[in-house]
Amino acid sequence: MATFLDISVQSEALSPEQRARLVTSCPVEIFALYGDQVIVRDDQVDECTLCEVCLKIAPAKAILIRKKYKDDVLISAGES
Ligand code: SF4
């Protein structure tokens, strides 16, 4: 379990193309494909740099990044 962050993804809210883009775009490989679904690699979560690239790929509210050390949640807003 990660110490600093919780990251969740609603895979079913993403298109197959968005799932593939998440996996290839995160610089620290937080996301992986499991069958045709995208999952969060729990062992990798604390490596997140909060770059927000994933939040720009995913549809609104499909990804949540909760900072455990602070009362703050980053939420995907969908591509603009
Ligand atoms: S914020 Fe950046 S480092 Fe963190 S999960 Fe998203 S793409 Fe990966």
Side-chain angles (χ1 to χ4, degrees), residues 32-68:
L33 286 175
Y34 185 77
D36 62 354
Q37 300 298 312
V38 66
I39 59 168
V40 173
R41 296 175 60 210
D42 288 333
D43 61 331
Q44 198 67 6
V45 165
D46 277 338
E47 303 300 318
C48 173
T49 63
L50 302 175
C51 70
E52 302 194 14
V53 166
C54 59
L55 301 181
K56 294 174 182 145
I57 294 170
K61 300 180 184 170
I63 292 181
L64 305 179
I65 302 177
R66 185 171 72 84
K67 301 175 186 176
K68 294 182 176 181

